[in-house]
Amino acid sequence: MKLQGVELRRIAMPLVAPFRTSFGVEHNRDVLLLRVVTDEAEGWGECVALSDPRYSSEYVAGAQDVLRRYLIPALAALPRLDAPSVAPALHQFRGHRMAKAALETAVLDAELRAEGRSFARELGAVLDRVPCGVSVGIMSDPGVLLDAVGGYLDAGYVRIKLKIQPGWDIEPVRAVRERFGDDVLLQVDANTAYTVADAMHLAKLDPFGLLLIEQPLDEEDVLGHAELAKRLTTPVCLDESITSAKAAADAITLGACSIVNVKPGRVGGYLEARRIHDVCVAHGVPVWCGGMLETGLGRAANVALAALPGFTLPGDTSASDRYYRTDITDPFVLDDGHLPVPTGPGVGVTPHPDRLAEVTTSADWLPLTD
């Protein structure tokens, strides 16, 4: 393909309810979408960076700037464009994995649409539907939490993930276990809120039979996670620490984790996410697909990824109405705790023009041909 132009579109998506984690509260999602136009087809990508650099060093305005100034021009200089050529062309620019992932996804989407192939087929999916978990934010009190968890279980979600932080950890987990029993698949996510010095406190979670504790320590503290893993019976899962297939292999070798959360935006794209999957499968380490409150575009691609054979744990690929009253694509609707894997060309969904126009806050078209 030959790149003809890229549209950078910002949209504002109100959440159905505030979503609180250890690094802050979100009320709205400021989302950067990319539309890549080639001489063969168009493709879409979604940048999962947040509005400010709290979850990671990336943020939406910064991603938009680096795409415009560096990443898109680097692709425009290629004589011939396909998805595998994106990462090598962008390697000269350090970091900015979420921006790179959005651009690679859009190129891959365009390439697959031109060829009539789906994301699922390209990545190696083996399922036609995937089991879905849901991430439950930090609440004002345990009663509100229990009502929320009960609603998600009634909706059919097969796994519950509780966000935790110091002061909101043992008792919320205890309350959920006492109300809903030991059969509920339950895990917790700390988003780097603890240190190794908290090991004895975190060990108090062990009696609750959790699937895992996700990213308890700082993302750079891989050795700390290895030490913590020795002191807990709850399996340690890494999220923010896993930025590449090499990082995954190193963490597994060091004993820092026994489970990996794969987020394509965090690792630079779906092709690297597939490599992480392959590394983990080779080491016998289960993986699951994390979420970043994506719209239907990102959700479609995540569901396709979650259909790969190594994704043996339910991911955060929740239904559209978990976060948005109205999505920009046809909504993903939970059916018996599962979501269908899209089968159409590319990611298998496209934004509805009217809905997209309603939520757009800015749109910049960058022509790349004379």
Side-chain angles (χ1 to χ4, degrees):
M1 303 183 297
K2 181 64 178 177
L3 190 60
Q4 296 183 334
V6 178
E7 180 183 72
L8 300 175
R9 181 180 291 261
R10 295 273 285 273
I11 63 174
M13 297 286 287
L15 298 174
V16 295
F19 188 67
R20 181 181 174 191
T21 68
S22 62
F23 54 80
V25 182
E26 288 190 82
H27 299 270
N28 301 277
R29 283 286 281 126
D30 176 14
V31 183
L32 175 62
L33 301 178
L34 277 68
R35 181 172 63 92
V36 161
V37 179
T38 76
D39 58 344
E40 297 182 14
E42 295 185 0
W44 290 87
E46 177 173 343
C47 182
V48 298
L50 302 181
S51 298
D52 44 34
R54 293 174 297 154
Y55 171 78
S56 79
S57 60
E58 293 188 70
Y59 60 102
V60 179
Q64 187 170 4
D65 180 67
V66 77
L67 280 159
R68 179 187 290 110
R69 295 175 61 185
Y70 299 105
L71 305 186
I72 292 170
L75 287 196
L78 295 177
R80 190 72 182 163
L81 178 64
D82 58 17
S85 69
V86 174
L90 304 183
H91 182 71
Q92 60 187 304
F93 307 112
R94 295 185 179 275
H96 300 284
R97 290 183 176 88
M98 293 178 180
K100 291 176 179 178
L103 188 53
E104 182 189 83
T105 301
V107 171
L108 179 57
D109 187 35
E111 180 180 342
L112 294 176
R113 287 180 191 271
E115 298 173 359
R117 295 188 291 136
S118 70
F119 247 63
R121 177 182 171 186
E122 177 69 13
L123 295 176
V126 296
L127 302 174
D128 57 11
R129 64 178 197 148
V130 298
C132 295
V134 65
S135 182
V136 184
I138 295 168
M139 302 290 186
S140 57
D141 64 69
V144 176
L145 173 68
L146 293 175
D147 288 344
V149 171
Y152 293 131
L153 291 174
D154 289 344
Y157 285 101
V158 300
R159 186 227 68 200
I160 300 293
K161 179 171 86 173
L162 304 181
K163 295 287 187 176
I164 62 171
Q165 65 181 15
W168 180 270
D169 42 34
I170 310 301
E171 292 311 312
V173 171
R174 186 192 313 278
V176 170
R177 274 288 184 239
E178 289 178 351
R179 171 69 66 86
F180 302 105
D182 294 338
D183 292 337
V184 171
L185 298 181
L186 184 64
Q187 63 192 58
V188 294
D189 182 9
N191 289 118
T192 76
Y194 298 87
T195 71
V196 175
D198 296 309
M200 290 184 63
H201 178 72
L202 292 174
K204 295 177 182 178
L205 292 168
D206 288 342
F208 297 109
L210 301 177
L211 285 173
L212 57 91
I213 178 171
E214 183 180 352
Q215 196 68 45
L217 313 182
D218 185 81
E219 62 189 77
E220 296 183 0
D221 194 4
V222 178
L223 291 178
H225 280 102
E227 175 61 27
L228 184 65
K230 297 175 184 176
R231 299 167 68 178
L232 303 180
T233 59
T234 302
V236 172
C237 170
L238 290 183
D239 173 356
E240 287 93 330
S241 296
I242 305 300
T243 56
S244 66
K246 181 182 184 304
D250 290 347
I252 294 167
T253 301
L254 290 170
C257 63
S258 55
I259 300 171
V260 167
N261 172 357
V262 182
K263 287 180 179 171
R266 190 194 64 232
V267 306
Y270 288 87
L271 300 185
E272 186 68 15
R274 182 173 60 186
R275 284 188 280 270
I276 292 172
H277 162 273
D278 294 346
V279 165
C280 290
V281 168
H283 286 83
V285 171
V287 298
W288 55 281
C289 185
M292 291 291 290
L293 285 65
E294 289 91 347
T295 71
L297 286 170
R299 196 168 307 280
N302 283 353
V303 169
L305 178 70
L308 270 64
F311 286 82
T312 56
L313 297 175
D316 287 340
T317 49
S318 307
S320 297
D321 64 4
R322 164 63 183 92
Y323 299 112
Y324 306 115
R325 287 188 177 87
T326 306
D327 208 337
I328 59 172
T329 67
D330 287 341
F332 282 83
V333 179
L334 204 65
D335 179 15
D336 190 28
H338 292 69
L339 290 182
V341 177
T343 57
V347 297
V349 299
T350 53
H352 294 295
D354 291 346
R355 174 57 179 157
L356 193 59
E358 289 174 1
V359 297
T360 293
T361 57
S362 69
D364 298 323
W365 169 249
L366 308 178
L368 299 172
T369 57
D370 295 332

